[in-house]
Amino acid sequence: MESNIDLSILKKLPELKTQAVLSIRPLAPLSMVSELPGSFYKTMKYPSKKMLCGLFENMLGWHFDNKLRLEIFKDMVKVRKKQKIDLKKEQLIHGSTYLPLLMDYFDILGNISLIEFKSMFNYSDLWNRGYRRPESNIHLNGCRNIDVSLVAERYNLFTKWNDLTSKKESKAKKDEWVKNNIGKIPCFYTSPTPREYICLDAVVEIPLILDVNFAELLLAETKISNICYLGNSEGWVNIKIKEVEI
């Protein structure tokens, strides 16, 4: 992760004055799931505003983990408080754990359309959904592999702890062992989950109204990536954005 990313834009109140058109050409099937998918991850036809936040952060190289993202957001809350604006985390993360930082810096302006359309179809597939429970032996039970140096130790200790009369004590010992050895255990384990994809051979055009400073960042094409992902890490897209005369 870059350490010199300029986040000064987040200290300024958004001024939505620049109109632009965002063009998205899918390079792979997309799965743009709503915030509350339930047991089946059904895709939407077009990305939501929150998904576009993720796309823009991707374009700018803002690849922050949850801990750093929350620290940045807390600083934003302090700044907005001085600007007499109440910024609430709950309004931004409703339905998902992703905390967007750029939600107030643009709006979708009008109808989303398709151009250069050739074909479109939907299909369902099994998606390996990632889980992370690093402080519980449940995480270990979901992993297919662990470091070979732990195999014998795990078998011997867990067999011993399974014989304890107290299930609570057994679980506590296993959980503590997992925490102490988490560096030798995969970060995630996966579970097959039904997920819908949309295969779109066309260009999605989205009219936008942007904060003037945010627009300058996005329109500086030499400084951003135009190959990004949308919906999930498998949904690669090519991006173009151009300013529109008002």
Side-chain angles (χ1 to χ4, degrees):
M1 184 189 300
E2 293 185 37
S3 58
N4 60 344
I5 295 176
D6 183 5
L7 301 178
S8 59
I9 184 177
L10 300 178
K11 296 181 179 180
K12 303 170 184 176
L13 278 175
E15 297 180 55
L16 304 186
K17 294 182 178 180
T18 303
Q19 289 190 21
V21 174
L22 173 67
S23 298
I24 302 174
R25 181 181 289 278
L27 303 176
L30 305 180
S31 185
M32 299 173 288
V33 176
S34 63
E35 294 182 347
L36 296 171
S39 59
F40 177 66
Y41 282 63
K42 182 173 179 59
T43 187
M44 298 185 295
K45 183 178 179 181
Y46 301 126
S48 66
K49 183 179 178 182
K50 192 171 182 180
M51 290 177 191
L52 292 182
C53 283
L55 180 71
F56 291 144
E57 291 185 19
N58 190 205
M59 292 168 68
L60 297 172
W62 292 13
H63 307 298
F64 307 135
D65 60 29
N66 287 338
K67 182 179 179 182
L68 179 55
R69 185 173 294 275
L70 186 57
E71 290 176 3
I72 295 170
F73 182 77
K74 287 179 178 178
D75 287 339
M76 285 178 63
V77 170
K78 293 176 183 176
V79 172
R80 292 293 182 267
K81 192 172 183 179
K82 293 178 181 178
Q83 297 165 339
K84 302 190 182 304
I85 293 177
D86 188 15
L87 191 60
K88 293 186 180 297
K89 175 185 173 186
E90 292 73 20
Q91 296 172 343
L92 298 176
I93 65 169
H94 176 68
S96 71
T97 57
Y98 167 57
L99 178 60
L101 301 175
L102 292 166
M103 189 72 90
D104 295 332
Y105 287 83
F106 74 98
D107 266 325
I108 297 174
L109 191 66
N111 296 324
I112 299 175
S113 59
L114 297 178
I115 64 170
E116 300 180 29
F117 180 86
K118 293 182 181 178
S119 65
M120 177 177 66
F121 63 89
N122 290 27
Y123 68 92
S124 296
D125 200 354
L126 288 176
W127 164 62
N128 275 334
R129 182 180 182 184
Y131 292 88
R132 178 165 170 80
R133 295 171 182 167
E135 297 183 353
S136 170
N137 71 93
I138 293 175
H139 181 94
L140 182 63
N141 293 338
C143 296
R144 296 176 184 174
N145 303 291
I146 61 173
D147 192 292
V148 67
S149 65
L150 297 181
V151 174
E153 181 181 344
R154 176 201 178 187
Y155 176 80
N156 291 331
L157 290 177
F158 277 44
T159 300
K160 173 183 173 183
W161 292 331
N162 285 336
D163 294 333
L164 295 175
T165 54
S166 170
K167 290 185 179 180
K168 184 176 181 180
E169 183 182 359
S170 175
K171 180 180 182 304
K173 287 182 177 295
K174 291 177 182 178
D175 289 349
E176 185 64 25
W177 185 86
V178 169
K179 285 192 286 186
N180 291 338
N181 292 281
I182 196 63
K184 296 182 179 181
I185 298 171
C187 288
F188 296 92
Y189 66 92
T190 61
S191 177
T193 305
R195 184 164 188 149
E196 186 181 35
Y197 292 81
I198 181 170
C199 193
L200 179 62
D201 189 353
V203 174
V204 182
E205 281 200 342
I206 305 176
L208 301 172
I209 182 88
L210 304 164
D211 166 68
V212 289
N213 295 305
F214 182 41
E216 288 182 6
L217 290 177
L218 293 182
L219 293 169
E221 294 185 6
T222 57
K223 297 181 181 179
I224 65 172
S225 171
N226 68 337
I227 302 291
C228 308
Y229 57 86
L230 180 64
N232 64 5
S233 58
E234 300 167 353
W236 289 97
V237 294
N238 182 268
I239 299 297
K240 289 183 180 179
I241 185 165
K242 59 182 179 180
E243 188 174 354
V244 175
E245 294 288 338
I246 301 177

